Amino acid sequence: MTDAIETPRAVARPAAPSALLLLAHGSRVPEAKEYTRALARAVGSSWPGRVEVAYLRHTRPRARQALSMLAEAGHEQVAVVPLLLLSSAFHSRVDLPKALSNPLGRAPLVTPVMGGTTGEPDKRLVAALRRRLAELDVEFDAVVLVATGSTDVGAYAEVTAMASALGTDLGLPCRAAFAATTTPTPGEAADELRRAGARRIAVASYCLASGVLYRETVEASTAAGVVGVSQP
């Protein structure tokens, strides 16, 4: 007597995302919203599905509103792409999960936070920072990488590691600085580089969009006598 052979059962695979939700921080500065919208248009030109934008604060729609709208439109699976800070700071660890809790439809997929990694700095971010510096079209012999700032020790280390990677890529001294919350400030980092012999210092903006902190970075860096501040 032979053993019965069980017929294999088909295993349902998770549905591929039919929509992307770009989740930005939000800002009171009008051009910050346009930065995010421009990015959404660029993504939409190559993504076959629907692309929408939402914000954590200051601007609408908020994440749950956008997820509900997409669910009502028939999108069973949505991928959320965080456009928050370029590190695993408080917004990424706390605000992001809270904003995405209790959606109307299926829980969304969430991609990793760009720049938030315990490994080597992302070479694509290094290349993007270098391109933005090249757009300044000025000569410089040192760089200050300015991030928004965080009290999170891990986020601080990630920004410092990115500054080191950018400096190695450029073959120039590069120091990390922060627009708020922690030190060194852009001016303090520039002074440190000058004491080490630098004469023409450029600032690389390590943020995803223009906003209040970017404006403050430009003002503080200009007051510190740098030769230019790159765009986000």
Side-chain angles (χ1 to χ4, degrees):
M1 182 176 178
T2 58
D3 294 333
I5 299 176
E6 184 177 353
T7 303
R9 297 180 181 178
V11 178
R13 294 184 178 181
S18 60
L20 291 180
L21 180 63
L22 308 186
L23 180 57
H25 180 276
S27 173
R28 298 184 184 91
V29 178
E31 56 261 38
K33 187 173 183 178
E34 181 50 36
Y35 264 86
T36 309
R37 285 290 177 191
L39 179 58
R41 290 192 293 271
V43 172
S45 67
S46 59
W47 171 259
R50 183 169 174 176
V51 179
E52 293 292 341
V53 172
Y55 304 89
L56 279 182
R57 56 188 63 177
H58 302 307
T59 311
R60 294 187 183 278
R62 301 297 169 81
R64 276 195 286 265
Q65 291 174 314
L67 288 172
S68 296
M69 175 189 67
L70 289 169
E72 290 170 354
H75 294 280
E76 294 186 359
Q77 186 66 77
V78 177
V80 175
V81 181
L83 302 177
L84 304 172
L85 302 175
L86 290 166
S87 64
S88 55
F90 185 86
H91 288 313
S92 302
R93 292 185 295 100
V94 179
D95 288 344
L96 177 61
K98 183 178 179 180
L100 299 177
S101 63
N102 302 318
L104 176 63
R106 181 188 298 182
L109 302 173
V110 183
T111 66
V113 175
M114 188 180 297
T117 174
T118 56
E120 294 295 320
D122 193 321
K123 293 180 180 179
R124 294 168 297 179
L125 286 176
V126 174
L129 289 166
R130 182 166 186 157
R131 285 196 302 271
R132 282 303 203 191
L133 285 169
E135 291 170 2
L136 292 174
D137 197 25
V138 296
E139 293 184 359
F140 52 89
D141 58 6
V143 175
V144 175
L145 177 72
V146 181
T148 53
S150 173
T151 56
D152 185 275
V153 175
Y156 185 99
E158 289 163 7
V159 174
T160 302
M162 181 58 71
S164 177
L166 178 60
T168 298
D169 187 71
L170 293 168
L172 296 173
C174 183
R175 298 289 182 270
F178 303 89
T181 308
T182 189
T183 56
T185 65
E188 290 169 344
D191 287 343
E192 179 186 345
L193 288 167
R194 288 194 181 96
R195 288 193 294 270
R199 292 293 177 266
R200 296 180 59 82
I201 300 168
V203 167
S205 172
Y206 196 43
C207 57
L208 286 164
S210 178
V212 173
L213 290 178
Y214 174 70
R215 287 183 173 182
E216 292 179 356
T217 294
V218 173
E219 292 173 0
S221 301
T222 301
V226 304
V227 296
V229 181
S230 69
Q231 291 289 317

